[in-house]
Amino acid sequence: MSDAARPVEDLRFSEALSELEAIVAALEGGQLDLEDSLARYERGVALLRGCQAKLGEAEQRVTMLMGELETGGGEE
């Protein structure tokens, strides 16, 4: 299954970002027909949202871990 066929939520951040970069390059190339451009744009929007969600989750985890360090939690 190609990355374009995989659900965004199943992709690792790096995979989604690479696919998004490829879509941007293809769209900037100006060689796609209208339908393909729209399909890739829609996929790009989904990838961007997925990347933003993954970054938000990572930020929450870091914030939680920093809080544990500050309170001394997690030490054994």
Side-chain angles (χ1 to χ4, degrees):
M1 177 184 298
S2 72
D3 282 350
R6 289 173 58 194
V8 173
E9 56 274 1
D10 290 349
L11 297 174
R12 296 176 56 91
F13 180 82
S14 59
E15 294 170 327
L17 187 58
S18 292
E19 186 180 341
L20 182 56
E21 289 170 343
I23 288 171
V24 169
L27 291 172
E28 287 177 343
Q31 301 300 313
L32 303 172
D33 63 22
L34 178 62
E35 291 79 11
D36 197 28
S37 292
L38 286 173
R40 289 191 192 199
Y41 186 83
E42 288 175 353
R43 176 68 175 182
V45 168
L47 290 164
L48 179 60
R49 288 182 178 149
C51 286
Q52 289 172 332
K54 288 181 188 310
L55 285 173
E57 292 167 8
E59 184 178 18
Q60 287 177 346
R61 289 178 63 191
V62 168
T63 300
M64 182 188 71
L65 292 170
M66 292 301 295
E68 287 178 5
L69 286 175
E70 291 173 3
T71 62
E75 292 181 11
E76 293 184 25

